[in-house]
């Protein structure tokens, strides 16, 4: 399994928790706003393997045209395979025409396009005047403050509203152990390490997103969207530990710390194998629109 296939596997596993976590107040407010439109043209920013649009298909009654924007081409290819599978499972006909996928049943028509590009280049690639909504799931904790601000300025120019869900703000294990806060802190430091685009917002995205959306003149509704990972879900818990195991050594140099990390991971794995570890992961959802 290559890196993208592994990532695609993770994105599929998290659908269950994302669906349970999404803040219904925030979602309903967006749905009410969309009632005024006969057809909907929607951007899915950082679409990955298309989990976000698949979630919304049944929540929208109008004819839908989606544009999946994703910088990772292989993920977008997997997205189309999964959309075709979704169509079969939900009794839609699917037709692939060049880079466009059309899903139809007797009542609904959904058209999906893919754009391999950075979210921040969108304005140069398509006419944003024709869109009704942007959505993004689990994306903005990866963004720097500057990138998010640039995106907001673009949304403002085209008066595009945005529903941004599952933005990471923190985590804790149950039962807690002595070194949890220590290694969670390193995990956060890794999210906020210096990268070619600056520093990711990581767990601080919630407060910055709120201030920035307000600051640019959007009406904003915010709500919590926590994951509660059950102690029986060892596969999911192992994924989370796996991310920590991979990332933390990139920012710690001392051999003693690496040793402490290994010991901590081993303890956690033992508790997982006894089905005694659960984990809460905090997120925030935002609905921002223009009046
Ligand atoms: C955690 S995944 C979420 C994927 C999907 N939204 C979902 O809910 O399953 C974040 C995605 O955002 C994409 N991404 C991050 N920064 C991006 C950018 N500047 N332009 C386009 N895609 C980006 C990543 O490649 C990744 O696929």
């Amino acid at each position: 399994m290559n890196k993208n296939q592994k990532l695609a596997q993770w994105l599929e596993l998290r659908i269950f928790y994302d669906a349970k976590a999404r803040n219904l107040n925030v979602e309903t407010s967006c749905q009410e706003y969309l009632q005024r439109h006969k057809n909907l043209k929607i951007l899915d920013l950082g679409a990955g393997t298309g989990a976000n649009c698949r979630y919304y298909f049944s929540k929208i009654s109008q004819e839908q045209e989606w544009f999946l924007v994703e910088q990772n081409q292989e993920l977008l290819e997997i997205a189309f395979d999964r959309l075709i599978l979704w169509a079969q499972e939900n009794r839609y006909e699917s037709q692939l025409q060049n880079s466009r996928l059309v899903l139809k049943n007797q009542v609904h028509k959904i058209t999906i396009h893919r754009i391999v590009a950075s979210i921040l280049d969108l304005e140069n690639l398509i006419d944003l005047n024709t869109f009704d909504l942007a959505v993004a799931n689990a994306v903005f904790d990866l963004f720097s403050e500057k990138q998010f601000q640039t995106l907001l300025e673009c949304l403002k120019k085209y008066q595009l509203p945005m529903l941004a869900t599952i933005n990471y703000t923190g985590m804790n294990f149950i039962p807690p152990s002595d070194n949890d806060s220590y290694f969670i802190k390193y995990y956060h430091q890794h999210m906020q390490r210096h990268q070619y685009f600056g520093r990711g917002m990581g767990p601080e995205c919630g407060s910055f997103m709120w201030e920035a959306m307000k600051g640019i003149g959007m009406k904003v509704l915010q709500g919590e969207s926590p994951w509660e990972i059950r102690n029986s879900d060892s596969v999911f818990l192992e994924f989370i530990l796996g991310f920590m195991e991979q990332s933390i050594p990139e920012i710690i140099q001392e051999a003693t710390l690496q040793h402490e990390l290994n010991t901590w991971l081993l303890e956690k794995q033992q508790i997982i194998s006894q089905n005694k570890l659960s984990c809460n992961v905090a997120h925030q959802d935002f609905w921002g629109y223009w009046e």
Side-chain angles (χ1 to χ4, degrees):
M1 203 184 273
N2 73 22
K3 206 174 147 206
N4 283 329
Q5 287 162 340
K6 182 98 178 152
L7 179 56
Q9 190 193 6
W10 160 251
L11 294 179
E12 210 60 20
L13 281 177
R14 58 177 292 162
I15 290 176
F16 169 80
Y17 288 104
D18 281 1
K20 272 180 67 171
R22 286 166 189 265
N23 187 284
L24 290 182
N25 265 344
V26 172
E27 186 175 290
T28 308
S29 175
C30 170
Q31 279 173 319
E32 284 167 3
Y33 173 97
L34 296 175
Q35 297 294 325
R36 63 182 84 164
H37 294 273
K38 205 161 160 257
N39 304 316
L40 286 175
K41 205 164 158 185
I42 308 171
L43 287 164
D44 185 2
L45 307 174
T49 53
N52 203 25
C53 70
R54 277 182 272 145
Y55 172 80
Y56 289 122
F57 286 163
S58 62
K59 308 241 163 204
I60 297 172
S61 53
Q62 297 99 318
E63 187 170 320
Q64 307 167 41
E65 188 172 8
W66 286 83
F67 287 72
L68 309 189
V69 184
E70 170 57 56
Q71 63 192 4
N72 183 326
Q73 180 163 2
E74 194 176 344
L75 289 187
L76 264 191
E77 279 160 19
I78 298 172
F80 265 38
D81 292 342
R82 290 196 173 160
L83 284 162
I84 292 167
L85 207 63
W86 180 93
Q88 283 166 6
E89 286 166 2
N90 291 277
R91 297 170 186 233
Y92 276 72
E93 273 175 33
S94 62
Q95 245 185 333
L96 188 58
Q97 303 162 339
N98 302 323
S99 70
R100 199 174 67 143
L101 179 64
V102 181
L103 311 180
K104 262 195 228 166
N105 67 10
Q106 274 117 347
V107 193
H108 292 117
K109 182 176 174 201
I110 306 169
T111 308
I112 306 136
H113 307 257
R114 46 185 172 191
I115 303 176
V116 183
S118 166
I119 294 164
L120 300 169
D121 291 337
L122 261 186
E123 209 182 1
N124 308 321
L125 301 171
I126 41 174
D127 179 6
L128 293 178
N129 275 308
T130 62
F131 283 85
D132 304 303
L133 173 70
V135 297
N137 189 64
V139 176
F140 295 128
D141 41 86
L142 302 171
F143 264 40
S144 68
E145 291 182 0
K146 191 166 168 226
Q147 285 179 311
F148 189 68
Q149 189 66 37
T150 305
L151 171 67
L152 288 182
E153 277 154 25
C154 176
L155 297 180
K156 181 174 186 176
K157 196 161 152 192
Y158 298 94
Q159 295 287 290
L160 253 179
M162 179 166 72
L163 177 58
T165 46
I166 316 288
N167 302 289
Y168 176 89
T169 57
M171 67 187 290
N172 65 288
F173 292 102
I174 305 146
S177 64
D178 282 350
N179 278 335
D180 287 4
S181 60
Y182 197 48
F183 289 115
I184 290 170
K185 187 185 80 189
Y186 280 121
Y187 188 44
H188 290 169
Q189 279 178 11
H190 182 266
M191 291 177 192
Q192 297 177 311
R193 73 198 180 285
H194 189 75
Q195 297 182 72
Y196 69 94
F197 57 81
R199 290 181 192 280
M201 288 189 277
E204 279 157 33
C205 67
S207 48
F208 184 80
M209 287 173 73
W210 170 261
E211 291 297 333
M213 290 168 87
K214 284 278 202 196
I216 203 149
M218 274 179 151
K219 286 269 167 201
V220 192
L221 185 64
Q222 179 266 359
E224 304 297 318
S225 46
W227 285 349
E228 287 165 16
I229 302 159
R230 299 163 302 188
N231 56 14
S232 56
D233 198 345
S234 53
V235 174
F236 204 81
L237 291 162
E238 288 286 3
F239 254 102
I240 293 183
L241 279 193
F243 289 132
M244 298 180 88
E245 185 175 10
Q246 261 173 20
S247 59
I248 296 171
E250 285 181 27
I251 55 159
I252 56 174
Q253 262 97 45
E254 304 90 325
T256 47
L257 263 181
Q258 179 65 54
H259 179 72
E260 279 180 44
L261 172 65
N262 293 344
T263 311
W264 180 78
L265 287 167
L266 207 64
E267 275 170 19
K268 285 276 178 274
Q269 270 146 0
Q270 275 164 357
I271 313 176
I272 291 176
S273 69
Q274 297 160 354
N275 282 353
K276 285 186 178 158
L277 187 74
S278 51
C279 178
N280 290 335
V281 182
H283 306 97
Q284 291 182 7
D285 291 358
F286 294 87
W287 164 231
Y289 57 98
W290 312 93
E291 270 189 344

